[in-house]
Amino acid sequence: DSSVEDRIRMNNLAAAIVMTSQGVPFFQAGEEMLRSKPLGNGEFDHNSYCSPDSVNSIKWGCLAKPAYRRVRDYYKGLIALRKTYSALRLKTAREVLEHVLPMEGMKPNVTAFRIRCREEDPAESLFVIFNPNRLETMVPLPTGEWEILARDTTAGTEALARAKGRVEIGAISAMVLAQKKAPKEAIK
């Protein structure tokens, strides 16, 4: 019963969860362009392993629609973010325990965690928030100034805005923030 807009938000939230989680991310071909498998009678094929190409093929023409292009661009931004920050690609459970800090005291259903970045990363920390609720919510930020790298329908490696103290996260969405490294003091 969800609106098309809410289903797109759900798709983007799921993509953000996958792309900011540790381990190997996996998503289906065409998911980044809202692929579905209609049968032509108003129903969808939910197990199409033996269905014809008319059901299983990727419909490239859908990218002519702005909503589909925005979702594709969101995925591209999430992929770029993941490639830029090695802290999103930790290799062992021990590394995860050392670098990923779940945040306590979030509103119901809201999840947030801080990731201490590695030396080679362009930031000191990442802060990731997931809000599956149908209403926006305010989330307190750890101390310092943060750059918003992903929110609502936009993601990437360039700052969209800056935040300090707290941020408002939209309904059914994710937000990724980065705290830049402090400048190294000159060696005397």
Side-chain angles (χ1 to χ4, degrees), residues 45-81:
D45 194 335
H46 299 288
N47 190 7
S48 67
Y49 74 97
C50 64
S51 296
D53 287 347
S54 60
V55 172
N56 281 314
S57 65
I58 294 178
K59 313 298 188 273
W60 296 103
C62 73
L63 289 174
K65 298 176 184 175
Y68 288 69
R69 283 195 310 272
R70 281 192 297 274
V71 171
R72 180 211 47 207
D73 292 345
Y74 184 71
Y75 273 72
K76 284 173 70 174
L78 289 173
I79 291 167
L81 187 66

Short mmCIF file of all heavy atoms in Angstrom, two decimals, residues 45-81:
data_model
loop_
_atom_site.label_atom_id
_atom_site.label_comp_id
_atom_site.label_asym_id
_atom_site.label_seq_id
_atom_site.Cartn_x
_atom_site.Cartn_y
_atom_site.Cartn_z
N ASP A 45 6.48 -11.38 -11.51
CA ASP A 45 7.13 -12.67 -11.38
C ASP A 45 8.15 -12.59 -10.26
O ASP A 45 9.13 -11.87 -10.36
CB ASP A 45 7.81 -13.03 -12.70
CG ASP A 45 8.22 -14.49 -12.76
OD1 ASP A 45 8.41 -15.10 -11.69
OD2 ASP A 45 8.34 -15.02 -13.88
N HIS A 46 7.90 -13.30 -9.17
CA HIS A 46 8.77 -13.23 -8.00
C HIS A 46 9.81 -14.35 -7.98
O HIS A 46 10.67 -14.38 -7.10
CB HIS A 46 7.95 -13.25 -6.71
CG HIS A 46 7.01 -12.09 -6.61
ND1 HIS A 46 7.44 -10.81 -6.36
CD2 HIS A 46 5.67 -12.00 -6.76
CE1 HIS A 46 6.41 -9.98 -6.34
NE2 HIS A 46 5.32 -10.68 -6.59
N ASN A 47 9.74 -15.27 -8.92
CA ASN A 47 10.70 -16.36 -9.03
C ASN A 47 10.87 -16.66 -10.51
O ASN A 47 10.27 -17.59 -11.04
CB ASN A 47 10.21 -17.58 -8.25
CG ASN A 47 11.27 -18.65 -8.13
OD1 ASN A 47 12.42 -18.45 -8.51
ND2 ASN A 47 10.87 -19.80 -7.61
N SER A 48 11.69 -15.86 -11.18
CA SER A 48 11.70 -15.84 -12.64
C SER A 48 12.82 -16.66 -13.28
O SER A 48 13.16 -16.43 -14.43
CB SER A 48 11.80 -14.40 -13.12
OG SER A 48 13.05 -13.86 -12.75
N TYR A 49 13.38 -17.61 -12.56
CA TYR A 49 14.51 -18.35 -13.10
C TYR A 49 14.18 -19.03 -14.43
O TYR A 49 15.06 -19.23 -15.26
CB TYR A 49 15.02 -19.39 -12.09
CG TYR A 49 14.14 -20.59 -11.93
CD1 TYR A 49 14.40 -21.76 -12.64
CD2 TYR A 49 13.03 -20.55 -11.09
CE1 TYR A 49 13.58 -22.86 -12.51
CE2 TYR A 49 12.21 -21.64 -10.95
CZ TYR A 49 12.49 -22.80 -11.67
OH TYR A 49 11.67 -23.88 -11.54
N CYS A 50 12.95 -19.42 -14.67
CA CYS A 50 12.61 -20.09 -15.93
C CYS A 50 11.69 -19.23 -16.81
O CYS A 50 11.10 -19.73 -17.76
CB CYS A 50 11.98 -21.46 -15.66
SG CYS A 50 10.40 -21.37 -14.79
N SER A 51 11.60 -17.95 -16.52
CA SER A 51 10.78 -17.05 -17.32
C SER A 51 11.56 -16.57 -18.54
O SER A 51 12.78 -16.57 -18.56
CB SER A 51 10.34 -15.84 -16.49
OG SER A 51 9.51 -16.26 -15.44
N PRO A 52 10.85 -16.12 -19.57
CA PRO A 52 11.52 -15.68 -20.80
C PRO A 52 12.22 -14.32 -20.63
O PRO A 52 12.03 -13.62 -19.63
CB PRO A 52 10.36 -15.57 -21.80
CG PRO A 52 9.17 -15.30 -20.96
CD PRO A 52 9.40 -16.06 -19.66
N ASP A 53 13.00 -13.95 -21.64
CA ASP A 53 13.71 -12.67 -21.64
C ASP A 53 12.76 -11.49 -21.50
O ASP A 53 13.13 -10.46 -20.95
CB ASP A 53 14.53 -12.50 -22.92
CG ASP A 53 15.77 -13.38 -22.93
OD1 ASP A 53 16.11 -13.92 -21.87
OD2 ASP A 53 16.38 -13.52 -24.01
N SER A 54 11.54 -11.63 -21.99
CA SER A 54 10.59 -10.52 -21.88
C SER A 54 10.34 -10.15 -20.42
O SER A 54 10.02 -9.00 -20.11
CB SER A 54 9.27 -10.88 -22.57
OG SER A 54 8.69 -12.03 -21.96
N VAL A 55 10.52 -11.09 -19.51
CA VAL A 55 10.37 -10.83 -18.08
C VAL A 55 11.73 -10.49 -17.46
O VAL A 55 11.85 -9.55 -16.68
CB VAL A 55 9.75 -12.05 -17.36
CG1 VAL A 55 9.78 -11.88 -15.85
CG2 VAL A 55 8.33 -12.28 -17.84
N ASN A 56 12.76 -11.25 -17.80
CA ASN A 56 14.06 -11.15 -17.12
C ASN A 56 15.01 -10.09 -17.66
O ASN A 56 15.97 -9.74 -16.99
CB ASN A 56 14.77 -12.50 -17.14
CG ASN A 56 14.22 -13.43 -16.08
OD1 ASN A 56 14.04 -13.03 -14.94
ND2 ASN A 56 13.94 -14.66 -16.45
N SER A 57 14.79 -9.59 -18.85
CA SER A 57 15.74 -8.62 -19.41
C SER A 57 15.68 -7.29 -18.65
O SER A 57 14.67 -6.93 -18.05
CB SER A 57 15.43 -8.38 -20.88
OG SER A 57 14.16 -7.77 -21.02
N ILE A 58 16.82 -6.59 -18.67
CA ILE A 58 16.88 -5.27 -18.06
C ILE A 58 16.28 -4.28 -19.04
O ILE A 58 16.66 -4.25 -20.21
CB ILE A 58 18.33 -4.90 -17.68
CG1 ILE A 58 18.79 -5.86 -16.57
CG2 ILE A 58 18.44 -3.45 -17.26
CD1 ILE A 58 20.22 -5.67 -16.13
N LYS A 59 15.36 -3.49 -18.59
CA LYS A 59 14.66 -2.51 -19.44
C LYS A 59 15.39 -1.18 -19.38
O LYS A 59 15.07 -0.31 -18.57
CB LYS A 59 13.20 -2.35 -18.99
CG LYS A 59 12.44 -3.65 -18.73
CD LYS A 59 12.31 -4.51 -19.96
CE LYS A 59 11.40 -5.69 -19.75
NZ LYS A 59 12.00 -6.88 -19.20
N TRP A 60 16.40 -0.99 -20.23
CA TRP A 60 17.24 0.19 -20.22
C TRP A 60 16.45 1.46 -20.48
O TRP A 60 16.83 2.53 -20.04
CB TRP A 60 18.37 0.04 -21.25
CG TRP A 60 19.29 -1.08 -20.90
CD1 TRP A 60 19.31 -2.32 -21.47
CD2 TRP A 60 20.27 -1.10 -19.87
NE1 TRP A 60 20.26 -3.10 -20.86
CE2 TRP A 60 20.87 -2.38 -19.88
CE3 TRP A 60 20.71 -0.15 -18.94
CZ2 TRP A 60 21.88 -2.73 -19.01
CZ3 TRP A 60 21.73 -0.51 -18.08
CH2 TRP A 60 22.30 -1.79 -18.10
N GLY A 61 15.34 1.35 -21.18
CA GLY A 61 14.52 2.52 -21.49
C GLY A 61 13.96 3.21 -20.26
O GLY A 61 13.62 4.39 -20.30
N CYS A 62 13.89 2.50 -19.15
CA CYS A 62 13.35 3.12 -17.93
C CYS A 62 14.23 4.27 -17.46
O CYS A 62 13.76 5.16 -16.75
CB CYS A 62 13.15 2.09 -16.83
SG CYS A 62 14.66 1.52 -16.06
N LEU A 63 15.49 4.29 -17.86
CA LEU A 63 16.38 5.37 -17.44
C LEU A 63 16.02 6.71 -18.09
O LEU A 63 16.58 7.74 -17.74
CB LEU A 63 17.84 5.02 -17.74
CG LEU A 63 18.42 3.94 -16.82
CD1 LEU A 63 19.81 3.54 -17.27
CD2 LEU A 63 18.43 4.40 -15.38
N ALA A 64 15.05 6.69 -18.99
CA ALA A 64 14.55 7.95 -19.56
C ALA A 64 13.72 8.70 -18.52
O ALA A 64 13.52 9.91 -18.64
CB ALA A 64 13.71 7.67 -20.81
N LYS A 65 13.27 8.00 -17.50
CA LYS A 65 12.46 8.63 -16.44
C LYS A 65 13.38 9.20 -15.37
O LYS A 65 14.26 8.50 -14.87
CB LYS A 65 11.51 7.61 -15.82
CG LYS A 65 10.50 7.04 -16.81
CD LYS A 65 9.65 5.98 -16.14
CE LYS A 65 8.72 5.34 -17.14
NZ LYS A 65 7.97 4.24 -16.53
N PRO A 66 13.17 10.46 -14.97
CA PRO A 66 14.06 11.09 -13.98
C PRO A 66 14.17 10.32 -12.66
O PRO A 66 15.26 10.24 -12.09
CB PRO A 66 13.43 12.48 -13.76
CG PRO A 66 12.69 12.75 -15.03
CD PRO A 66 12.20 11.40 -15.50
N ALA A 67 13.08 9.75 -12.16
CA ALA A 67 13.13 9.02 -10.88
C ALA A 67 14.08 7.84 -10.97
O ALA A 67 14.83 7.56 -10.03
CB ALA A 67 11.74 8.55 -10.48
N TYR A 68 14.09 7.16 -12.10
CA TYR A 68 14.96 6.01 -12.28
C TYR A 68 16.42 6.46 -12.37
O TYR A 68 17.31 5.82 -11.82
CB TYR A 68 14.57 5.23 -13.54
CG TYR A 68 13.29 4.47 -13.39
CD1 TYR A 68 12.06 5.12 -13.29
CD2 TYR A 68 13.30 3.08 -13.35
CE1 TYR A 68 10.88 4.41 -13.15
CE2 TYR A 68 12.12 2.35 -13.21
CZ TYR A 68 10.92 3.03 -13.10
OH TYR A 68 9.76 2.32 -12.96
N ARG A 69 16.68 7.56 -13.05
CA ARG A 69 18.05 8.09 -13.14
C ARG A 69 18.56 8.53 -11.77
O ARG A 69 19.73 8.31 -11.44
CB ARG A 69 18.12 9.26 -14.13
CG ARG A 69 18.11 8.82 -15.58
CD ARG A 69 18.53 9.93 -16.52
NE ARG A 69 17.83 11.19 -16.31
CZ ARG A 69 16.68 11.53 -16.88
NH1 ARG A 69 16.07 10.69 -17.70
NH2 ARG A 69 16.14 12.70 -16.64
N ARG A 70 17.69 9.13 -10.96
CA ARG A 70 18.10 9.57 -9.63
C ARG A 70 18.52 8.37 -8.76
O ARG A 70 19.50 8.44 -8.03
CB ARG A 70 17.00 10.37 -8.94
CG ARG A 70 16.90 11.81 -9.41
CD ARG A 70 15.99 12.64 -8.52
NE ARG A 70 14.61 12.19 -8.51
CZ ARG A 70 13.69 12.56 -9.40
NH1 ARG A 70 13.99 13.38 -10.37
NH2 ARG A 70 12.46 12.10 -9.30
N VAL A 71 17.77 7.27 -8.87
CA VAL A 71 18.13 6.08 -8.10
C VAL A 71 19.47 5.53 -8.59
O VAL A 71 20.34 5.18 -7.79
CB VAL A 71 17.02 5.01 -8.17
CG1 VAL A 71 17.49 3.70 -7.55
CG2 VAL A 71 15.76 5.50 -7.46
N ARG A 72 19.66 5.45 -9.91
CA ARG A 72 20.94 4.99 -10.45
C ARG A 72 22.09 5.87 -9.94
O ARG A 72 23.13 5.37 -9.52
CB ARG A 72 20.91 5.01 -11.98
CG ARG A 72 22.22 4.53 -12.59
CD ARG A 72 22.58 5.15 -13.90
NE ARG A 72 22.44 6.59 -13.91
CZ ARG A 72 22.20 7.30 -15.02
NH1 ARG A 72 22.04 6.70 -16.16
NH2 ARG A 72 22.10 8.60 -14.95
N ASP A 73 21.89 7.18 -9.96
CA ASP A 73 22.93 8.10 -9.49
C ASP A 73 23.20 7.94 -8.00
O ASP A 73 24.33 8.08 -7.54
CB ASP A 73 22.57 9.54 -9.83
CG ASP A 73 22.60 9.81 -11.33
OD1 ASP A 73 23.17 8.98 -12.08
OD2 ASP A 73 22.04 10.84 -11.74
N TYR A 74 22.14 7.64 -7.22
CA TYR A 74 22.31 7.40 -5.79
C TYR A 74 23.20 6.17 -5.57
O TYR A 74 24.13 6.21 -4.76
CB TYR A 74 20.94 7.20 -5.14
CG TYR A 74 20.96 7.05 -3.64
CD1 TYR A 74 21.24 8.13 -2.82
CD2 TYR A 74 20.67 5.83 -3.04
CE1 TYR A 74 21.25 8.00 -1.43
CE2 TYR A 74 20.67 5.69 -1.66
CZ TYR A 74 20.96 6.78 -0.87
OH TYR A 74 20.97 6.64 0.50
N TYR A 75 22.95 5.10 -6.30
CA TYR A 75 23.78 3.90 -6.20
C TYR A 75 25.22 4.22 -6.59
O TYR A 75 26.16 3.78 -5.93
CB TYR A 75 23.24 2.79 -7.11
CG TYR A 75 22.19 1.92 -6.47
CD1 TYR A 75 20.91 2.39 -6.24
CD2 TYR A 75 22.47 0.61 -6.12
CE1 TYR A 75 19.94 1.57 -5.68
CE2 TYR A 75 21.51 -0.22 -5.57
CZ TYR A 75 20.24 0.27 -5.34
OH TYR A 75 19.29 -0.54 -4.78
N LYS A 76 25.41 4.97 -7.68
CA LYS A 76 26.77 5.35 -8.09
C LYS A 76 27.48 6.11 -6.98
O LYS A 76 28.66 5.89 -6.72
CB LYS A 76 26.70 6.20 -9.36
CG LYS A 76 26.41 5.40 -10.61
CD LYS A 76 26.18 6.28 -11.82
CE LYS A 76 27.41 6.96 -12.29
NZ LYS A 76 27.20 7.71 -13.56
N GLY A 77 26.76 7.02 -6.32
CA GLY A 77 27.34 7.77 -5.21
C GLY A 77 27.70 6.89 -4.03
O GLY A 77 28.76 7.06 -3.41
N LEU A 78 26.83 5.93 -3.70
CA LEU A 78 27.12 5.00 -2.60
C LEU A 78 28.34 4.14 -2.92
O LEU A 78 29.18 3.87 -2.05
CB LEU A 78 25.92 4.11 -2.31
CG LEU A 78 24.71 4.78 -1.65
CD1 LEU A 78 23.54 3.80 -1.59
CD2 LEU A 78 25.04 5.30 -0.26
N ILE A 79 28.44 3.70 -4.18
CA ILE A 79 29.59 2.89 -4.58
C ILE A 79 30.87 3.71 -4.47
O ILE A 79 31.89 3.24 -3.96
CB ILE A 79 29.38 2.32 -6.00
CG1 ILE A 79 28.26 1.28 -5.97
CG2 ILE A 79 30.68 1.73 -6.56
CD1 ILE A 79 27.75 0.87 -7.34
N ALA A 80 30.84 4.96 -4.93
CA ALA A 80 32.02 5.83 -4.83
C ALA A 80 32.42 6.05 -3.37
O ALA A 80 33.60 6.03 -3.03
CB ALA A 80 31.74 7.17 -5.52
N LEU A 81 31.43 6.24 -2.51
CA LEU A 81 31.68 6.43 -1.08
C LEU A 81 32.36 5.20 -0.50
O LEU A 81 33.36 5.30 0.21
CB LEU A 81 30.35 6.72 -0.39
CG LEU A 81 30.36 7.12 1.06
CD1 LEU A 81 31.03 8.48 1.24
CD2 LEU A 81 28.92 7.19 1.58
#
